[in-house]
């Protein structure tokens, strides 16, 4: 048992070092990077596409798409929207790590990017444990997943900078208690920046986009 703990610690230490290298490369090129996490089906790709649509045209974007299988469905949607996208196939692994993101970063022209959006693998457990070198961690929680998710997956809620509550357009059809959900989040991450949106209709995106634009310009100042 002790040996296993030691190996796990070494893996995490080297991931941390690689994440710092990624951050250096991003900062040298004044790229603001966000790590978008969520469970499968929460609407990560749709959210990213709606975000791309709403940002000013002169903001230069890059996207890294994490997927467990070599299917390019999500990456194709991003490239169809005219964005440079690099796909990471994790080969079945359930999260991105700093090494994979470093390899993807090296395929992008960082000098030509202001904002890098990283779509992590759909999973609420381990993506939270692997630093990638990004500046902000975003979690998308969608209403059909239920209002109990903060209570069941506390770790991912503790480590995030922004929470997106997606699929608000479905609220009339669901037993989703917004107060109960938000109380659970507040215990884990007091004062967490939260935006309730529908990535499908674009409802609620103005405030999220304003937050993001401010962060990108702060990063370039
Ligand atoms: Mg996706
Ligand atoms: Zn994993």
């Amino acid at each position: 048992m002790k040996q296993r703990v030691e190996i796990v610690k070494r893996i995490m230490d080297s991931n941390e070092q690689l994440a710092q290298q990624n951050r250096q490369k991003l900062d040298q090129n004044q790229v603001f990077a966000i790590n978008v996490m969520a469970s499968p089906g929460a609407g990560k790709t749709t959210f990213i596409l709606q975000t791309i649509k709403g940002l000013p045209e002169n903001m230069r974007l890059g996207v890294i798409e994490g997927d467990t299988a070599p299917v390019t469905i999500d990456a194709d949607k991003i490239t169809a929207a005219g964005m440079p996208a690099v796909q990471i196939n994790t080969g079945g692994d359930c999260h991105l790590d700093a090494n994979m993101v470093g390899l993807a970063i090296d395929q992008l022209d960082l000098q030509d990017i202001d904002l890098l959006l990283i779509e992590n693998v759909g999973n609420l457990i381990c993506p939270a444990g692997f630093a990638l070198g990004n500046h902000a961690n975003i979690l998308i929680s969608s209403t059909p997943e239920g209002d109990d998710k903060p209570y069941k997956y506390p770790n991912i809620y503790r480590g995030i900078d922004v929470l997106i509550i997606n699929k608000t357009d479905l609220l009339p059809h669901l037993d989703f208690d917004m107060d109960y959900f938000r109380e659970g989040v507040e215990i884990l991450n007091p004062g967490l920046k939260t935006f309730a949106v529908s990535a499908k209709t674009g409802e609620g995106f103005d405030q999220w986009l304003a937050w993001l634009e401010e962060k990108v310009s702060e990063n370039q100042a």
Side-chain angles (χ1 to χ4, degrees):
M1 187 62 200
K2 186 167 182 290
Q3 196 185 358
R4 186 178 145 72
V5 170
E6 184 55 35
I7 291 166
V8 169
K9 187 181 177 301
R10 284 219 301 270
I11 293 170
M12 297 316 278
D13 284 351
S14 87
N15 187 76
E16 188 57 45
Q17 278 173 16
L18 291 168
Q20 283 170 18
Q21 285 174 24
N22 291 347
R23 173 64 79 94
Q24 268 178 10
K25 284 183 196 168
L26 294 168
D27 285 345
Q28 277 161 6
N29 293 283
Q30 291 183 306
V31 180
F32 186 76
I34 65 172
N35 171 24
V36 180
M37 299 177 286
S39 59
K44 292 185 295 301
T45 309
T46 311
F47 174 80
I48 287 174
L49 286 167
Q50 189 67 254
T51 298
I52 290 170
K53 206 171 124 190
L55 287 168
E57 278 187 10
N58 61 1
M59 193 183 286
R60 300 167 307 167
L61 310 176
V63 181
I64 294 176
E65 278 291 320
D67 261 302
T68 55
V71 286
T72 56
I73 301 169
D74 289 350
D76 290 348
K77 286 180 190 161
I78 306 286
T79 14
M83 295 302 132
V86 176
Q87 162 128 2
I88 300 175
N89 169 18
T90 65
D93 245 356
C94 46
H95 58 268
L96 293 180
D97 64 28
N99 180 45
M100 298 174 199
V101 169
L103 294 170
I105 280 178
D106 289 341
Q107 291 178 52
L108 290 164
D109 285 321
L110 291 184
Q111 283 166 315
D112 297 331
I113 294 176
D114 303 314
L115 170 65
L116 177 64
L117 303 115
I118 304 169
E119 179 177 339
N120 213 314
V121 176
N123 175 354
L124 289 182
I125 316 274
C126 45
F130 286 82
L132 305 179
N134 56 282
H135 300 83
N137 287 315
I138 318 291
L139 175 67
I140 303 176
S141 205
S142 68
T143 55
E145 293 168 58
D147 51 23
D148 58 357
K149 287 300 158 292
Y151 303 92
K152 288 190 172 169
Y153 299 92
N155 275 341
I156 199 155
Y157 284 85
R158 283 196 189 101
I160 54 173
D161 305 295
V162 174
L163 173 65
I164 305 289
I165 304 171
N166 190 24
K167 307 194 187 182
T168 52
D169 53 303
L170 296 179
L171 278 172
H173 311 285
L174 302 168
D175 292 321
F176 184 94
D177 184 337
M178 189 62 87
D179 290 336
Y180 176 68
F181 176 84
R182 282 179 177 262
E183 280 161 24
V185 175
E186 184 63 23
I187 296 163
L188 300 165
N189 195 330
L192 177 63
K193 190 81 39 217
T194 302
F195 303 99
V197 307
S198 165
K200 191 179 169 195
T201 66
E203 190 194 335
F205 264 68
D206 287 354
Q207 284 152 307
W208 150 246
L209 290 167
W211 180 89
L212 188 57
E213 282 176 50
E214 194 186 315
K215 290 291 166 192
V216 173
S217 46
E218 273 173 23
N219 190 52
Q220 306 204 317

